[in-house]
Amino acid sequence: MLDITAALREDPRADHVPAAARADGNLPLPHLYERVARHVTPAEWPLIAREVEAIERLKRTHNAVILGHNYQAPEIFNTVADIVGDSLALAREAVNVDADIIVMAGVHFMAETAKLLNPSKTVLIPDATAGCSLAESITAADIRLLKQLYPGVPVVTYVNTSAEVKAESDYCCTSGNAVKVVRAVAKERGVDRILMLPDEYLARNVQKEVPEIELIAWKGHCEVHERFTPQDIRDLREAHPGVVVLAHPECPPEVVAEADYAGSTAGMSDYVRDEKPGRVVLITECSMADNVSVQYPDIEFVRPCNLCPHMRRITLSAIRRSLETMTQQVEIDPAIADRARASVERMLAIR
Ligand code: 13P
Ligand code: SF4
């Protein structure tokens, strides 16, 4: 996880800033512009910088912190987000946040998770309609029915679900810890069958790692990752010889089988940091490559682009309005929250 505030204090990377931007000494917040110069033109920047300044003022006034998911647009991820990371890192960080207000620059289930872990804090989601096709794919009633069909089989649900669904679950998991959680649950509960919901592809990808446990899956899919095909990967390899392919485990297993590595958004970011491939492609939401590439100007990122329409609902102006009006506040029925929190806490307890 990158601490943006610390990184900004000493960001030496000006060499990849377009010459036009460097030539214009009048650009506001030049130290931040350097971080987004590949995606924002000098002409666009003054308006964006005004929003950034307004948000920074509001953050100070309200003692607010912004958590930003790795899929956020570069002008959010690289400027106003105080803490950035994958779903697991944001869930963990939500526990340690020393602020009165948490703004989730991410999608609704992420804001709910932050609220579950910080019941006394105000948690804001700048656009309450920022959903997720996986979270939409299953309801609490579905889980209750599955529990009747599979009595005694523990339920592990992906963090990409509503609080109501988490409340019906035994454990939560993320793409970053799914294998570890499934192994721990099998051991703790003494079982060799687990309901792993709702992402069919994540379950099938995890299944390959844990042949000793039978995972019963659901038919939920991520609308971004399900669009990648094995042929896409073969075409990318042909068009970009030597490219290292990193895929998110929400991709179909046939796609993951063609990749060199599969992992969460943080896992992919860490792979780039540790292995420094000369040429790489991230088979995931396309803002991810925009954000990771800022840190590695010498690595060539091949960029097929599948955008998550839900993540795109979060904009700088939506964040500013959210802090100005203290909306949309995330509220969870306490009866649901207690049980949902327990499933998230059981996950966080697994190390
Ligand atoms: P990560 O947990 O890997 O950040 O993924 C969240 C997500 O929504 C992926 O589509
Ligand atoms: Fe949901 Fe897919 Fe968007 Fe992630 S990328 S938030 S799983 S729809």
Side-chain angles (χ1 to χ4, degrees):
M1 189 180 44
L2 176 70
D3 178 340
I4 282 286
T5 317
L8 286 178
R9 260 182 247 125
E10 39 189 284
D11 186 349
R13 291 155 296 142
D15 54 336
H16 61 285
V17 178
R22 268 182 277 142
D24 186 347
N26 296 324
L27 280 180
L29 305 178
H31 60 298
L32 289 184
Y33 185 65
E34 286 173 11
R35 299 180 65 85
V36 296
R38 284 185 176 186
H39 312 288
V40 176
T41 66
E44 291 167 323
W45 178 245
L47 266 182
I48 292 175
R50 205 182 300 163
E51 292 283 17
V52 169
E53 283 173 327
I55 290 167
E56 290 299 338
R57 269 195 303 277
L58 287 159
K59 274 167 34 177
R60 284 193 295 275
T61 307
H62 297 294
N63 188 25
V65 70
I66 299 182
L67 305 187
H69 186 260
N70 288 329
Y71 292 164
Q72 284 294 289
E75 69 272 18
I76 294 173
F77 185 92
N78 293 295
T79 61
V80 296
D82 299 290
I83 295 160
V84 296
D86 68 354
S87 303
L88 180 59
L90 296 183
R92 284 197 194 289
E93 206 55 45
V95 187
N96 303 323
V97 161
D98 181 22
D100 299 317
I101 314 279
I102 298 173
V103 182
M104 179 55 74
V107 292
H108 194 263
F109 76 81
M110 296 175 180
E112 271 194 341
T113 309
K115 181 68 181 175
L116 286 175
L117 298 171
N118 291 277
S120 63
K121 291 187 179 164
T122 299
V123 175
L124 301 174
I125 176 90
D127 186 328
T129 66
C132 168
S133 66
L134 279 168
E136 293 301 314
S137 74
I138 195 159
T139 65
D142 293 328
I143 308 266
R144 286 193 289 271
L145 202 60
L146 284 164
K147 287 199 284 197
Q148 279 174 26
L149 282 173
Y150 298 96
V153 177
V155 178
V156 174
T157 50
Y158 198 25
V159 69
N160 298 40
T161 48
S162 66
E164 287 85 349
V165 163
K166 289 185 178 76
E168 294 294 338
S169 312
D170 297 299
Y171 294 80
C172 189
C173 78
T174 74
S175 59
N177 63 12
V179 172
K180 197 189 274 187
V181 168
V182 163
R183 286 202 179 113
V185 172
K187 202 166 160 202
E188 272 174 39
R189 299 285 173 109
V191 294
D192 57 8
R193 285 177 106 193
I194 291 175
L195 281 152
M196 187 166 187
L197 316 165
D199 187 347
E200 180 195 1
Y201 297 148
L202 178 69
R204 285 173 52 198
N205 284 318
V206 170
Q207 181 69 83
K208 284 188 270 177
E209 307 289 317
V210 291
E212 71 284 9
I213 305 165
E214 183 193 350
L215 297 179
I216 303 162
W218 187 248
K219 282 282 180 193
H221 298 143
C222 162
E223 67 190 79
V224 176
H225 292 90
E226 72 176 349
R227 297 212 296 271
F228 291 106
T229 68
Q231 190 58 46
D232 290 339
I233 313 295
R234 291 192 284 270
D235 291 346
L236 281 163
R237 288 195 193 278
E238 203 182 318
H240 307 278
V243 72
V244 174
V245 179
L246 315 183
H248 195 280
E250 288 171 11
C251 292
E254 303 73 34
V255 171
V256 168
E258 297 278 341
D260 299 298
Y261 166 85
S264 75
T265 57
M268 288 189 269
S269 186
D270 292 350
Y271 184 103
V272 173
R273 180 197 62 203
D274 298 342
E275 303 297 327
K276 299 262 181 346
R279 181 180 259 190
V280 68
V281 60
L282 310 184
I283 303 301
T284 190
E285 213 271 353
C286 55
S287 296
M288 172 86 196
D290 296 342
N291 294 330
V292 176
S293 63
V294 169
Q295 300 168 62
Y296 307 103
D298 298 333
I299 296 178
E300 182 194 341
F301 285 78
V302 176
R303 297 166 196 247
C305 195
N306 282 350
L307 271 173
C308 173
H310 310 288
M311 289 281 177
R312 292 286 76 71
R313 289 183 181 279
I314 309 302
T315 60
L316 282 171
S317 53
I319 293 173
R320 174 179 47 72
R321 276 197 305 276
S322 178
L323 278 165
E324 280 169 352
T325 59
M326 287 293 129
T327 59
Q328 297 282 322
Q329 294 194 19
V330 177
E331 300 294 351
I332 307 169
D333 175 346
I336 290 170
D338 287 348
R339 290 188 298 134
R341 183 179 310 111
S343 79
V344 177
E345 283 176 346
R346 277 183 218 114
M347 167 186 84
L348 292 175
I350 295 169
R351 290 286 172 173

